[in-house]
Amino acid sequence: MIFDKVRKLDVVFDSPEADSAPVFSSGDVVSGKVLLELSAECRLQSLKLHAEGFAKVHWTESRSAGSSTAYTQNYSDEVEYLNHREALLQADNGGITVLQAGKHEYPFSFQLPEETLVTSFEGKYGSIRYWVKVKLHRPWAPVKKIKKEFTVIEPIDINTPALLASQAGTKDKMARVWYRNSGQVSVTAKIDRKGYTPGEVIPVFAEFDNATSRSVVPKAYVTQTQTFIARGTMKQKRSVVATLSGDVVGARCRETWHGRAIKIPPVGPSIIQCRIIKVDYALRVCVNVPGTSKLCLELPLVMGTIPLHPFGSRTSSVSSQYGMNLEWLRMTIPEQPEPPPDYSTVVSGDVVEQDARPLPAEEDFAGMLGRPFSAYIQEFRLRPPPVYSEVDPNPQPSMRPRCMTC
């Protein structure tokens, strides 16, 4: 049995929190260290690091070529997003490096590409992964390897005009019984915006008009659709991540949802920038129509990572923000102006009593003129205003228009 002198080979990423795995996005610097522990003196050729990132898809389909012959068709494709190599330890001219027994650390650091990467993802027919692989080369010994994955999440800010726009639609279908029309069922639904983040609640506004002779039950779903593309062929996997059931809508009746809440569970963000893997979300408002297939109205959703800003979009244009502010003003300005406050509510009682006190009778007009002029200003400055009234106390006389023929 060959004694292995390498006791430990590990990769540790720098992370603000020791207990949580680091998360990166495009343009970030990935740093850490490679830990090497030797039980005895060891001769090494090199210690190399290779950072990679790929989106890969693969699935198999069986196809029939006749009554008794069948063959299998494989579909696969990949897209490279990261490829970085560096040597952490390597002697000049391909020589040998001797390391003593004990622990050794080799720091590393590299920057992710500035162009937009794709969020890490694990699906049934494909994945998007990023990892760091370290290889230790020794003379007359097998290569020792270790691979450590890290997560990339590309931010999706829902505070943009496109994702803040409301989504609405209408759909109807005719129910049939024994090849005869028995009435029509229609669905109208609306949501406040297109972009949401996990944990938020979507208020659903909908109206269900059941003109058939049978009762129907409306439901709403938040669905996730994973799409895998290879060689011009597409493979999809759809799953329901949240459900909302409504009340029974009787025959010839109408039901209205005034903001029924459906909560988004912890799910991954939308993936829309990868050529071979896409992850889409939608709100489906459905009704089982008797005698025909299910009636479903689908409103697209985008699952983001940056939640809604309290003051709206930070990236929207000035014109769109100005228009939004005007709408806000139109909704909040009252139709009738409020009357001004009463004089007694803004002036203390002592001042009012002092102003209402009559002047001494013995002061004649000549004596008053001898007083300083500022005294008159002080007297009239705190006089109470007239009583508020919406009727003009001094109306202007109406003038008849001049006749041009006179």
Side-chain angles (χ1 to χ4, degrees):
M1 179 178 179
I2 300 177
F3 176 69
D4 193 354
K5 300 179 181 180
V6 179
R7 182 177 297 172
K8 180 180 181 181
L9 180 63
D10 195 11
V11 176
V12 178
F13 294 102
D14 293 335
S15 177
E17 299 180 4
D19 298 336
S20 62
V23 178
F24 305 97
S25 58
S26 57
D28 288 349
V29 175
V30 181
S31 61
K33 54 190 174 183
V34 176
L35 304 179
L36 176 61
E37 185 177 352
L38 304 176
S39 59
E41 182 181 278
C42 186
R43 303 171 69 224
L44 306 179
Q45 290 177 323
S46 64
L47 181 65
K48 296 182 179 180
L49 179 141
H50 187 195
E52 296 177 286
F54 284 93
K56 297 182 179 181
V57 297
H58 177 78
W59 72 89
T60 302
E61 293 183 3
S62 297
R63 299 187 179 276
S64 176
S67 59
S68 60
T69 305
Y71 68 97
T72 301
Q73 184 70 44
N74 294 321
Y75 295 90
S76 62
D77 200 352
E78 68 178 40
V79 178
E80 181 182 90
Y81 291 105
L82 174 64
N83 189 355
H84 170 80
R85 299 174 184 268
E86 65 175 287
L88 303 179
L89 175 63
Q90 186 170 10
D92 296 336
N93 301 324
I96 301 297
T97 302
V98 179
L99 291 181
Q100 300 300 320
K103 299 180 179 180
H104 305 269
E105 295 184 0
Y106 299 91
F108 65 87
S109 177
F110 61 90
Q111 186 176 14
L112 296 177
E114 291 289 348
E115 58 268 15
T116 301
L117 298 177
V118 180
T119 299
S120 300
F121 169 78
E122 291 291 333
K124 184 176 182 179
Y125 304 106
S127 62
I128 302 172
R129 299 174 181 170
Y130 301 85
W131 64 84
V132 168
K133 185 186 296 183
V134 174
K135 294 183 179 181
L136 178 63
H137 296 266
R138 297 169 291 172
W140 308 103
V143 177
K144 198 170 186 65
K145 306 176 184 178
I146 185 171
K147 181 179 178 180
K148 185 69 71 71
E149 294 190 12
F150 60 92
T151 303
V152 170
I153 296 182
E154 277 303 295
I156 300 178
D157 190 354
I158 68 172
N159 298 281
T160 59
L163 300 185
L164 291 177
S166 61
Q167 305 294 306
T170 301
K171 205 169 185 180
D172 53 57
K173 179 170 286 190
M174 186 68 65
R176 301 177 65 85
V177 177
W178 295 104
Y179 304 101
R180 297 180 60 184
N181 296 337
S182 64
Q184 181 175 272
V185 177
S186 63
V187 176
T188 301
K190 178 183 178 182
I191 54 178
D192 294 336
R193 46 192 162 93
K194 184 178 181 180
Y196 288 87
T197 53
E200 281 193 284
V201 172
I202 304 177
V204 182
F205 299 87
E207 185 177 85
F208 307 92
D209 190 0
N210 179 20
T212 67
S213 58
R214 300 176 63 182
S215 300
V216 299
V217 178
K219 293 185 178 181
Y221 310 90
V222 176
T223 61
Q224 181 197 71
T225 303
Q226 302 175 6
T227 305
F228 307 89
I229 305 170
R231 298 171 52 186
T233 304
M234 188 170 56
K235 190 81 168 178
Q236 285 190 331
K237 180 180 181 298
R238 175 174 291 177
S239 58
V240 176
V241 299
T243 307
L244 171 63
S245 296
D247 301 327
V248 176
V249 182
R252 309 289 192 269
C253 292
R254 179 177 297 176
E255 175 72 12
T256 303
W257 287 0
H258 299 284
R260 285 283 187 96
I262 180 169
K263 187 174 182 180
I264 304 173
V267 293
S270 299
I271 298 179
I272 54 180
Q273 296 181 340
C274 182
R275 180 173 58 85
I276 60 176
I277 296 178
K278 297 185 182 300
V279 177
D280 301 306
Y281 292 88
L283 175 69
R284 293 168 57 87
V285 183
C286 303
V287 173
N288 287 322
V289 182
T292 184
S293 59
K294 182 184 296 185
L295 170 62
C296 284
L297 173 63
E298 187 170 295
L299 303 178
L301 297 174
V302 172
M303 211 59 61
T305 59
I306 300 177
L308 183 66
H309 194 272
F311 299 104
S313 173
R314 292 172 292 178
T315 58
S316 59
S317 62
V318 176
S319 60
S320 63
Q321 291 185 10
Y322 180 73
M324 190 189 313
N325 291 336
L326 286 181
E327 292 297 329
W328 177 77
L329 288 174
R330 293 191 190 103
M331 291 187 293
T332 56
I333 291 180
E335 296 182 357
Q336 295 293 336
E338 296 182 359
D342 189 72
Y343 179 73
S344 60
T345 62
V346 296
V347 180
S348 63
D350 296 338
V351 176
V352 174
E353 183 180 354
Q354 180 181 356
D355 293 338
R357 188 180 306 157
L359 292 175
E362 60 273 10
E363 290 190 8
D364 57 358
F365 186 71
M368 293 176 62
L369 291 179
R371 295 164 58 186
F373 188 71
S374 61
Y376 300 103
I377 300 177
Q378 189 69 14
E379 287 180 4
F380 288 96
R381 184 175 65 87
L382 298 177
R383 292 298 181 187
V387 179
Y388 174 76
S389 173
E390 295 186 2
V391 179
D392 189 357
N394 301 310
Q396 298 293 330
S398 58
M399 298 181 63
R400 299 176 59 182
R402 179 184 297 180
C403 179
M404 301 301 295
T405 59
C406 296

